[in-house]
Amino acid sequence: MMFEDYKNPDPVKPLPTIVPTPDEYQTAGHNGFTALWVVFVIMTAASAIFAGLSWKIPVSRRLYHVITTLITITAALSYFAMATGDATSFNCTKVKDHHGKLPSTHHQLCRQVYYARYIDWAITTPLLLLDLCLLAGVDGAHTGMAIVADLIMVLTGLFAAFGKDHTAQKWGWYTIGCVAYLFVIWHVAIHGGRLARARSNSVGKLFGSLAAFTLILWTIYPIVWGVADGARKVSVDTEIILYAILDVLAKPVFGLWLLLAHRRIPETNVELGGYWAHGLTSEGQIRIGDDDEGA
Ligand code: RET
């Protein structure tokens, strides 16, 4: 026996150690923040241009301008919030790590969720639908139902974004959102398209192209959601950039197209008189004593 063995007569082999995987955070980086600031500037400039375009239009015919400007103002506010790191939270999920024959460990995978988007969409998507419904001449009942379906779509999307992974919750909410979206398509694109064509050839054509543009763009949103917040397959930066491109097309480009085209087609005018256009003038005022007439 060697001297060393006397010192340690029963050597114990060191136990294999498991180094647990550290928690993972998927957050926005430099490119994401740059994209958010760029879109903030675009939305602000678009709001100024749309407001400027409305100055030459009589107040009674400004409804499209007012709606479209509100859409880009809301988006500018939402992008300002996101670019300054506001209106964001984390959705964490437990990930199992296998170590062969050794016991498994867990780590947290947390993804940044910009809930500002959902607040923005809850305000702007109903307004975008209102623009399209007014153009097609859709009645109040169908417009209202389309807006309710749209709000269900956005809210269920928010619940899905904070839903628990690997449970029925997250993808359940998402599926409900997709069904609600089908109702929106039915009310606006199909029903609206029929009404627009009945109004006139030029209204039918303009509505057809705007609705097709909207339908393609809007359908990409749930796909981006599916690979981003849903399956967490793409980075937060890629998600920000994809939504940024879609948002610029769906709001400022859509808005400019609508406002310029509607000017050339008089039958698309929405003429609003009364309080909207004249305030409480002598026509609109309640005359004291009216109630006493004939008494
Ligand atoms: C969610 C997830 C749930 C299922 C569906 C969705 C659709 C979202 C859409 C958003 C459109 C946003 C627009 C913003 C304008 O700038 C909520 C992602 C169907 C269609 C047009």
Side-chain angles (χ1 to χ4, degrees), residues 36 39-40 42-44 47 67-83 86-87 114-129 147 150-151 153-155 158 218 221 240 243-244 246-248 250-252:
L36 291 172
V39 180
F40 163 69
I42 296 175
M43 294 296 179
T44 309
S47 308
I67 296 172
T68 312
T69 313
L70 282 178
I71 292 171
T72 48
I73 288 179
T74 309
L77 295 174
S78 137
Y79 269 90
F80 181 79
M82 294 192 282
D86 218 344
Y114 281 100
Y115 61 82
R117 289 194 193 290
Y118 299 89
I119 302 175
D120 170 338
W121 295 349
I123 299 168
T124 57
T125 52
L127 292 174
L128 285 163
L129 294 179
I147 289 175
D150 176 78
L151 286 172
M153 175 189 86
V154 175
L155 286 177
L158 174 66
W218 283 41
Y221 280 86
I240 290 176
Y243 279 137
L246 290 174
D247 284 352
V248 170
K251 286 169 172 149

